[in-house]
Amino acid sequence: MTKDVNNQNLRVLVIDDNTSIHEDFRKILQAKAGEESFDQARAELFGDLPLSREIERFELDCADQGQAALTLVQQARNEGRPYAVAFVDMRMPPGWDGLETIEHLWEADAELQVVICTAYSEHPWNEIEERVGRTDKLLILQKPFNGIEVLQLATALCRKWDLAREVAGQLRELSIQVDQRTVELQGANEQLTQSNAVLVRTVADLEAIQAKVLLQNDELGRLASRDPLTGCLNRRSFYDQFETAMAESRKHGIQLSCLMVDIDKFKRINDQFGHGVGDQAIQAVANCLSTGLRLMDIIGRYGGEEFCLLFPRTTLAEAADLAERLRVRVETEAGVRMRMASRVVITMSCGISSTAGGARTPLELIDQADKALYAAKEDGRNCVMALDPIIAGANAPDQVEPQVRRITPRVSSPQASR
């Protein structure tokens, strides 16, 4: 491929059935520096070049028919030395005319710049456009033409061909870079996806571990606050809730009642049946008490066979009714729940106190309920005794013994007499 000092493709193809036209193109495009007329033309076209500078000579090939031109174009493409510009005559009997030749040439080389050499009257532009389409690779050189015009077209179109090739090369390089970058981004995205999947699994594992820890913490909290034998609150946790209930009672001026429960003749059960049956008896009583309470009520194992119950927002009379229902439930159901000694009769004695009696602390209220419980045991067991709130008031003389009243009717049940 012929190149100038600027590495420009200067290959030109002339297609005309008139060989004298071939010579005319050679004189114009391959003129030597000594030919003054062409130096002058060069100077007029490119005023920045001195007349003494050698004019770059185009590499020119000629064909007299379209078929021969197509062979040259195909050969040039195969050799990697394509033509930059083709000057095509419109009339070339008896073979292809100019338009048909152009169509075949562009099938072989779509980058070829074409100049139609024709008289305007022969083929109007709209007819040419209709045949080959609208494109920037096609110009018209109207006959008769002069050398300056031919030189100008050849020079400009060769530069245009090089610029198009340069742009195409840059686009290819850019496309390669884009493809490479796309592959890199895809790899990074795949790696990120994998990392994200690992992170999601890790988060899921952490959430599962956290849930397990929370369950274990709840279980530890339950074990720390519950009596292992009965499931009731242990003494420490019961006191904590007692303090809260007492503070609420004082703040809102509402009554709080306390019930102390003791299983009757529990030592006899242990001595007669053993401690295993004794534990079952405690569990059975705790179950009867727990299932008979309201949602707001609180039960704790106070120690041994004793239980303490809180009835928030409950008067002494209401607490007495609750205690009596619980006593009856234990008497009728606790023995049935025993697995190892089903014929054991279990009863309980109950003592009730209320903040209406003047107690200001949990210990004072428990102490009052305990006094009522002692009275219930002294009065024959299996009954409910309530501390009289008037006698037990905070202003009562210390020497006056607290008075209790029996809640349970004095009717001995067949089971209790056994």
Side-chain angles (χ1 to χ4, degrees):
M1 183 187 301
T2 299
K3 298 282 186 176
D4 70 353
V5 292
N6 294 318
N7 203 34
Q8 182 181 3
N9 181 9
L10 298 175
R11 292 205 74 191
V12 177
L13 177 62
V14 174
I15 308 167
D16 198 300
D17 59 342
N18 189 345
T19 56
S20 63
I21 298 295
H22 300 175
E23 293 302 320
D24 291 339
F25 273 97
R26 285 193 177 92
K27 292 178 182 178
I28 296 171
L29 299 179
Q30 295 183 318
K32 296 182 179 179
E35 298 176 358
E36 182 178 353
S37 60
F38 293 110
D39 282 348
Q40 185 64 35
R42 179 73 172 181
E44 291 179 3
L45 283 173
F46 309 103
D48 55 329
L49 295 176
L51 294 178
S52 61
R53 180 173 176 178
E54 184 179 359
I55 300 175
E56 299 85 2
R57 298 184 63 188
F58 291 90
E59 181 180 351
L60 182 64
D61 290 321
C62 299
D64 58 358
Q65 291 294 327
Q67 292 89 336
L70 176 61
T71 301
L72 290 174
V73 169
Q74 291 173 337
Q75 182 178 352
R77 290 285 295 179
N78 294 335
E79 293 174 352
R81 302 175 62 250
Y83 292 102
V85 183
F87 289 87
V88 183
D89 185 31
M90 290 301 294
R91 290 185 177 183
M92 292 182 293
W96 299 336
D97 66 5
L99 290 180
E100 189 174 1
T101 298
I102 293 171
E103 291 172 342
H104 286 287
L105 295 182
W106 274 344
E107 290 178 1
D109 186 353
E111 298 178 1
L112 181 65
Q113 308 289 316
V114 175
V115 179
I116 295 176
C117 302
T118 180
Y120 183 78
S121 59
E122 293 177 343
H123 287 85
W125 175 251
N126 56 353
E127 180 182 340
I128 296 173
E129 188 178 73
E130 184 178 350
R131 282 281 302 274
V132 299
R134 181 174 297 181
T135 174
D136 63 350
K137 296 193 296 292
L138 182 66
L139 295 176
I140 292 181
L141 178 63
Q142 189 172 357
K143 292 180 178 179
F145 51 80
N146 59 50
I148 294 177
E149 192 173 6
V150 171
L151 184 60
Q152 182 182 34
L153 285 173
T155 302
L157 291 179
C158 283
R159 290 182 179 178
K160 180 173 177 289
W161 186 95
D162 278 325
L163 288 175
R165 176 62 66 91
E166 182 180 349
V167 170
Q170 291 175 350
L171 289 176
R172 283 193 299 271
E173 180 64 26
L174 181 61
S175 177
I176 292 172
Q177 294 177 3
V178 169
D179 291 341
Q180 292 175 344
R181 185 57 178 162
T182 300
V183 171
E184 293 174 0
L185 290 176
Q186 288 174 344
N189 185 59
E190 290 176 0
Q191 186 176 7
L192 181 61
T193 301
Q194 293 174 356
S195 300
N196 186 62
V198 172
L199 180 61
V200 169
R201 287 195 298 269
T202 302
V203 171
D205 292 341
L206 289 175
E207 289 177 348
I209 293 173
Q210 184 180 26
K212 185 176 180 180
V213 169
L214 290 175
L215 288 175
Q216 292 175 342
N217 287 341
D218 290 343
E219 180 64 15
L220 289 174
R222 189 189 69 80
L223 293 174
S225 63
R226 297 285 173 175
D227 171 61
L229 180 64
T230 63
C232 300
L233 292 174
N234 58 30
R235 193 163 182 167
R236 179 182 59 81
S237 298
F238 180 76
Y239 269 127
D240 290 341
Q241 297 204 26
F242 206 148
E243 289 282 2
T244 302
M246 200 74 171
E248 182 185 20
S249 173
R250 290 194 299 267
K251 179 178 179 181
H252 299 288
I254 54 177
Q255 288 192 46
L256 172 68
S257 295
C258 176
L259 171 64
M260 287 295 295
V261 172
D262 185 79
I263 300 175
D264 294 331
K265 300 180 181 181
F266 180 73
K267 185 176 183 300
R268 186 184 66 181
I269 297 174
N270 268 341
D271 293 343
Q272 184 176 354
F273 299 99
H275 290 284
V277 174
D279 287 346
Q280 287 189 26
I282 293 174
Q283 290 174 329
V285 171
N287 187 267
C288 290
L289 294 175
S290 298
T291 55
L293 295 180
R294 303 167 301 179
L295 291 177
M296 64 180 177
D297 298 332
I298 303 169
I299 181 173
R301 187 180 179 190
Y302 200 72
E305 67 274 17
E306 284 188 315
F307 296 89
C308 188
L309 291 82
L310 288 182
F311 300 139
R313 307 182 192 89
T314 304
T315 64
L316 186 66
E318 294 169 340
D321 291 339
L322 288 171
E324 177 59 17
R325 289 202 295 271
L326 292 174
R327 184 197 66 79
V328 172
R329 178 188 287 264
V330 169
E331 183 181 10
T332 57
E333 298 181 14
V336 179
R337 297 172 187 262
M338 300 286 289
R339 300 188 305 274
M340 299 173 60
S342 60
R343 285 186 284 180
V344 173
V345 177
I346 301 176
T347 63
M348 67 180 188
S349 298
C350 307
I352 309 173
S353 63
S354 168
T355 53
R360 302 294 296 171
T361 65
L363 288 178
E364 289 179 8
L365 196 59
I366 290 174
D367 184 63
Q368 291 177 2
D370 201 46
K371 287 181 172 62
L373 172 62
Y374 182 79
K377 286 184 172 292
E378 289 292 319
D379 200 42
R381 296 184 177 84
N382 193 25
C383 65
V384 178
M385 287 288 192
L387 190 69
D388 192 327
I390 299 177
I391 301 300
N395 297 324
D398 293 338
Q399 67 273 17
V400 177
E401 286 296 325
Q403 299 298 309
V404 294
R405 50 191 173 87
R406 186 184 179 96
I407 304 302
T408 305
R410 292 184 180 278
V411 178
S412 299
S413 68
Q415 289 181 327
S417 63
R418 279 187 275 174

